[in-house]
Amino acid sequence: MLIKLPCIKLLCASLFLLASHTSFADNDSITQALRHEVRTEENKARDSARKPEQVLTFFEVTPQSTVVEVWPGSGWYTEILAPLLEKEGKLYAAHFSDEFSLLDAEYMQKARSEYQEKLESHPVYDNVILTEFAPLADIAIAPPASADVVLSVRNQLYVFEGEKSMNHALANFYQALKPGGVLGVVAPRLPDDSLDTDWEKSGYVPEQLWLTLAEKTGFSFEGKNDLLLNPKDTADHPQGIWSLPPSLMGDEKDKEKYLSIGEANRMVLKFRKPSN
């Protein structure tokens, strides 16, 4: 039976409202997670610099997602993701591994130990699954083809063995994602006019490097978001990105200078594992 035009319009309008309602519901869920009691005031203070609601929305994270958080560190994003995914989703936290040979093992063990203490500190973390990640080790960050989203936020992969470690990491991320899944990358961006500088250990990498290596791995590039670009950051600091907040590893006399610059200039890149 043919449907009259007004009915078609009504159906389309209803579907649009349903899609909009779902989107708003997801945004509301992220907003509620940002207000969760588990979040520290110190971490909340960085929301304006890191814009987690916009970042997670751009990367298509919903309360029903299975997410892998790569190198959660002290748990800044975990404090948001755990409440968001607690009821209907799943969170894998791929923390530092003993397989590292190029960094301070004592520092990494301490960071992981403190993170484990965080997971034991509140029931909201009960369902977080702790796994491991090292860019040059064959360790599964999650079961194959299990994740809707893999998040790599503020990780410096290039400082290990350059493109080799990035390629290995991207292959690991690709394996963990479901077909159609999203890889979300937030990383310090090297300005295009600084490619010939000594940036290899600075923490900054060119945007094109991520695009090239991700495509080589099999990802398709979906787009980028400029919400975390910081034009004040010249990317030429003595301690690289660690001169800037929150690390502030430079001389005490330069502290105010780096505080005025703010967090590093970051690219926000979205890649997708093909559906077939």
Side-chain angles (χ1 to χ4, degrees):
M1 182 178 68
L2 293 176
I3 300 176
K4 294 182 180 180
L5 185 59
C7 296
I8 295 176
K9 289 183 177 179
L10 180 60
L11 177 61
C12 291
S14 299
L15 291 173
F16 174 78
L17 288 174
L18 178 61
S20 298
H21 176 75
T22 302
S23 176
F24 289 141
D26 291 344
N27 287 342
D28 184 63
S29 297
I30 296 174
T31 301
Q32 292 303 314
L34 290 169
R35 297 172 181 168
H36 196 277
E37 65 180 12
V38 79
R39 298 197 70 211
T40 66
E41 292 303 316
E42 181 182 6
N43 285 346
K44 288 180 181 178
R46 308 217 74 81
D47 285 355
S48 59
R50 298 183 177 180
K51 299 179 174 57
E53 183 171 1
Q54 297 94 317
V55 168
L56 293 177
T57 300
F58 181 63
F59 292 148
E60 302 179 21
V61 177
T62 73
Q64 296 78 34
S65 298
T66 294
V67 177
V68 182
E69 183 184 3
V70 178
W71 283 348
S74 64
W76 194 91
Y77 256 103
T78 304
E79 290 184 5
I80 303 167
L81 291 168
L84 177 65
L85 305 173
E86 180 184 19
K87 294 180 180 179
E88 301 177 79
K90 184 178 290 186
L91 176 60
Y92 291 93
H95 215 291
F96 296 135
S97 167
D98 292 336
E99 296 292 329
F100 273 103
S101 60
L102 299 175
L103 283 181
D104 186 346
E106 183 178 350
Y107 161 77
M108 292 193 161
Q109 290 172 357
K110 181 176 183 292
R112 178 166 171 151
S113 176
E114 290 175 351
Y115 184 80
Q116 288 177 297
E117 290 177 7
K118 177 188 282 288
L119 296 187
E120 296 167 0
S121 69
H122 195 285
V124 77
Y125 299 124
D126 285 352
N127 295 326
V128 177
I129 303 168
L130 188 60
T131 62
E132 298 180 357
F133 169 67
L136 294 171
D138 293 322
I139 305 171
I141 57 177
S146 64
D148 298 295
V149 183
V150 170
L151 296 176
S152 178
V153 180
R154 303 178 72 249
N155 295 324
Q156 289 75 51
L157 301 171
Y158 193 90
V159 300
F160 297 94
E161 290 192 21
E163 293 186 16
K164 180 180 178 181
S165 53
M166 288 187 67
N167 283 326
H168 196 284
L170 283 162
N172 198 334
F173 303 163
Y174 192 92
Q175 182 181 36
L177 282 167
K178 299 175 181 176
V182 170
L183 169 61
V185 174
V186 177
R189 183 185 186 279
L190 186 74
D192 293 336
D193 60 1
S194 301
L195 300 181
D196 59 350
T197 62
D198 184 17
W199 54 268
E200 283 78 0
K201 300 299 180 183
S202 70
Y204 296 90
V205 293
E207 181 178 292
Q208 188 58 49
L209 182 64
W210 272 103
L211 301 182
T212 299
L213 298 185
E215 182 180 8
K216 176 182 174 183
T217 303
F219 286 103
S220 60
F221 176 55
E222 289 243 325
K224 61 182 179 179
N225 194 310
D226 293 341
L227 63 102
L228 297 182
L229 295 184
N230 179 3
K232 294 181 181 179
D233 180 14
T234 55
D236 59 355
H237 318 298
Q239 302 294 330
I241 63 167
W242 298 279
S243 293
L244 300 172
S247 299
L248 294 171
M249 289 180 61
D251 294 336
E252 183 65 25
K253 62 182 178 62
D254 293 325
K255 182 176 179 179
E256 290 302 319
K257 168 189 172 182
Y258 292 121
L259 283 172
S260 68
I261 293 173
E263 294 200 14
N265 182 46
R266 286 150 292 165
M267 50 190 158
V268 180
L269 308 176
K270 179 178 177 181
F271 303 95
R272 193 176 301 275
K273 180 177 180 177
S275 298
N276 48 38

